[in-house]
Amino acid sequence: MKAARYSTSRQKACNSCSTAKAKCDRKVGCCTRCASRGLSCSYPHLLLPTASTDSTGGNTLSAPGDLLPSPECEIPAAADARSATTESTLVIGDASPINSSFETFAGNYLPKAKEPGPEIPILPPTKSDTLDFSSLELFSPINVDDISNRWLHAYIPVSGQKIKQYPPNITSFIYRILKSYVAVAIRGRGVPPFIHASQVMSASASLPLSTCLSLIRICENPLPGSEGVAADVLGREMSNLFDHYMEYDNVTQLAAFQAYLIYSMVLFFRLSQISSISFRQAMMNLQQLACSSSRGGLMCIAEQRHARPKWEAWIVAEAKRRTLFAMYLFDSVLSSQDGLQTFLGTELQGLPAPISKHLWASQTRQGWETAYNIYLTDWLEEGLRIDELWPMPADLDEPARLERRNRVDIWLESVDEFGTMIYTVTSCTHGG
């Protein structure tokens, strides 16, 4: 009872003003600040919440009895329903859940209304947004076996290979960009841009990827001298992935490939393991994983027919291609560190370049299908291929050169940060 009286006497603002650390006039019905912003205005219940553990392992708060609003401020029933249907939790592996409430959404994205307006209903995801990866129509337009031999090319050049002359500033650029991907993942602030958002949602997350995104958190602030211990922990998980990858289905193999790439980049950028023999073996294993995942298909059959594919099939194909491109850039950085030559990935010729940010960022099936229909109208023929960013063949005449430049310009209009990074590297190193 004493604690309840203390918490009541200390409450000088409604929940919204308290969260924003703003002055609240506690006006009956709705305070002035909430009214001007169209926010729901409520006050804490007298009963203190107690902690409980939800099914995902994260901590949630619940209070005994019904949490009723303060009699000083009634919350409309529509606002209650809106808050209940829009609050969501995203869990990545065993990391703590990140809660997103309607109040945060409204405060950051909706225009500030001078007067409270009508309630805007926000519907929960429909059943059509449920992802089903059980039937994917994919194929590989390239010889994927060449991917597994990538590591040999720096030591035993193959005839016909084209050397990439990386200027020092481009090498530094790739290094810093890939290092930033590692930092984002280790700090739990997001995932690298070769992982699709659907891959880390709790309903469809693959175990290799969710385990990876949780395990690498131990490398956020390693104590001096403990880098070797952390490297051993990651190394054991990498060995486990490689020993069992042949048992995985297509989607899980992709997750294993992505997880292994992230582990390898953490070992290099955060734990400085490049000089170890085990790291060399890890890179050979990585390219074998890439080969096996690619064998499961790198393009949708519908893409080849210039038609709209199934959303799930496109997610897997696009994520595979992006992960391959990231691995090749990482391979170039490693070769540069060793003073070895880097070669153009001619074995990837014909693969689609990273596609529109609107497609990659779509979170609903309807939104993605609408974006893909627009994409098809922009590209009446096939979309841009990764090799169109490489040096122009000497036998191209001027009209063909202009046509290629025009296609690249159209592609650049809608690419995301990952595509922009790919263009920056290719245009500066290959003259694309």
Side-chain angles (χ1 to χ4, degrees), residues 111-261:
K112 306 301 182 183
K114 294 183 179 180
E115 296 295 336
E119 299 297 340
I120 302 175
I122 299 181
L123 301 178
T126 62
K127 291 183 179 180
S128 65
D129 293 330
T130 302
L131 297 173
D132 179 11
F133 293 98
S134 59
S135 178
L136 305 177
E137 296 183 338
L138 304 177
F139 76 103
S140 293
I142 64 174
N143 183 2
V144 299
D145 291 330
D146 290 339
I147 297 174
S148 63
N149 298 323
R150 175 74 180 175
W151 67 275
L152 283 172
H153 295 172
Y155 300 93
I156 308 175
V158 179
S159 60
Q161 282 188 311
K162 299 178 181 179
I163 297 176
K164 293 187 293 188
Q165 300 293 344
Y166 274 124
N169 61 323
I170 294 301
T171 300
S172 176
F173 172 76
I174 301 173
Y175 182 100
R176 297 290 293 275
I177 292 295
L178 296 182
K179 184 179 179 181
S180 73
Y181 295 167
V182 170
V184 165
I186 285 179
R187 295 178 183 177
R189 297 179 178 176
V191 293
F194 50 82
I195 296 176
H196 192 265
S198 66
Q199 293 184 268
V200 293
M201 299 302 291
S202 56
S204 58
S206 294
L207 185 60
L209 196 53
S210 60
T211 299
C212 170
L213 295 174
S214 296
L215 189 58
I216 61 175
R217 298 293 296 275
I218 66 174
C219 303
E220 182 174 1
N221 294 302
L223 296 174
S226 66
E227 292 85 357
V229 175
D232 288 340
V233 172
L234 300 191
R236 286 195 294 270
E237 180 59 23
M238 293 170 73
S239 297
N240 181 63
L241 281 179
F242 188 74
D243 290 342
H244 296 93
Y245 79 91
M246 292 299 294
E247 305 167 11
Y248 299 149
D249 59 24
N250 197 353
V251 175
T252 309
Q253 273 201 354
L254 166 60
F257 171 33
Q258 292 170 321
Y260 207 98
L261 175 59

Side-chain angles (χ1 to χ4, degrees), residues 336-347:
S336 176
Q337 291 284 319
D338 286 344
L340 300 173
Q341 291 179 325
T342 57
F343 299 94
L344 193 63
T346 52
E347 58 271 22

